[in-house]
Amino acid sequence: MKTIDYYNQNADQFVASTFHVAMGELYQPFINHLSDCAIILDLGCGTGRDSLAFKKLGYQVEAIDFSEELVAKAKGLTGINVRQQSFYELDEQDKYHGIWACASLLHCDRENLADVMLRILNALKVNGILYMSFKYGESDREKDGRAFTDLNEQQAQDLLNQLEGFQPLKQWITVDQRPDREEEWLNLLWKKHA
């Protein structure tokens, strides 16, 4: 559980380094597919930055994170009742119009990724939209006490092939927006079909 320890011990630093990142360009492809009254789950909400943005846009937002410290910070920031929960425990059925998993599923063990995707699929309503992002690459690695599952286009396709019910809408690569970073990210937008 080293990854959670990292976030619990470095919550303030994490907030400082990620909260002010400009995310509008990433939100747009996701919200383009949502109605005004959509219910969004921010899966692995971290600081609550994206939950707050979606709330301000008028969406109904629920949020979960596994780090106790980040849950507290996200609650304080958003006024949303953020739940302390792992994506491994997601068990809602046909509830959300959109699930936003920005830089969160990259902490999912690769061997459990298909199971978590199935949980996400079940939690989405028909025609629901999933956005997720991974650090671009193909390895499973550890950095600064955190475990990462990187993803490239072929691995994303392999994952999609394991699941019946998702149709890919868009896939694109972005560069990290934080001033001290040059990492690339793989962004995926998938839709749950009937």
Side-chain angles (χ1 to χ4, degrees):
M1 229 11 107
K2 286 184 186 172
T3 301
I4 288 307
D5 293 341
Y6 172 91
Y7 287 112
N8 283 333
Q9 290 159 16
N10 297 282
D12 290 332
Q13 178 191 337
F14 185 68
V15 170
S17 73
T18 61
F19 185 73
H20 296 290
V21 175
M23 296 291 291
E25 281 185 33
L26 281 183
Y27 296 151
Q28 207 55 53
F30 177 67
I31 61 179
N32 283 346
H33 293 276
L34 298 175
S35 68
D36 293 344
C37 57
I39 305 168
I40 296 172
L41 174 65
D42 190 351
L43 183 67
C45 68
T47 63
R49 171 196 67 199
D50 302 337
S51 295
L52 181 63
F54 294 137
K55 182 182 172 183
K56 284 180 175 175
L57 289 169
Y59 296 106
Q60 298 177 61
V61 183
E62 294 185 17
I64 66 171
D65 200 279
F66 200 44
S67 160
E68 191 178 346
E69 291 295 321
L70 288 178
V71 164
K73 294 203 176 297
K75 275 183 185 174
L77 175 76
T78 64
I80 294 169
N81 181 27
V82 181
R83 304 192 305 272
Q84 185 182 354
Q85 183 183 342
S86 159
F87 39 64
Y88 297 124
E89 301 165 331
L90 184 67
D91 59 1
E92 278 87 357
Q93 300 288 322
D94 302 317
K95 183 171 185 183
Y96 303 107
H97 300 97
I99 293 182
W100 178 262
C102 181
S104 57
L105 295 174
L106 49 72
H107 294 311
C108 179
D109 299 327
R110 192 175 302 275
E111 60 269 21
N112 295 323
L113 205 46
D115 175 65
V116 171
M117 297 305 299
L118 195 57
R119 290 173 178 275
I120 289 170
L121 187 67
N122 289 333
L124 281 169
K125 292 177 174 289
V126 171
N127 297 320
I129 303 297
L130 166 65
Y131 166 83
M132 54 185 170
S133 59
F134 293 82
K135 288 181 191 269
Y136 186 75
E138 56 186 38
S139 58
D140 302 345
R141 59 192 171 83
E142 196 172 295
K143 185 181 178 199
D144 302 330
R146 291 180 290 171
F148 289 97
T149 298
D150 297 339
L151 214 67
N152 62 23
E153 296 91 341
Q154 184 57 56
Q155 290 168 331
Q157 185 61 50
D158 292 345
L159 184 60
L160 186 65
N161 291 344
Q162 292 176 59
L163 302 156
E164 287 182 19
F166 274 124
Q167 135 195 12
L169 296 177
K170 184 176 181 183
Q171 181 169 293
W172 70 108
I173 293 174
T174 51
V175 176
D176 202 304
Q177 294 297 300
R178 290 169 287 183
D180 57 335
R181 306 289 180 92
E182 293 179 1
E183 296 167 305
E184 289 186 317
W185 291 81
L186 180 65
N187 302 273
L188 302 158
L189 202 64
W190 290 359
K191 180 178 184 176
K192 176 178 178 173
H193 57 71

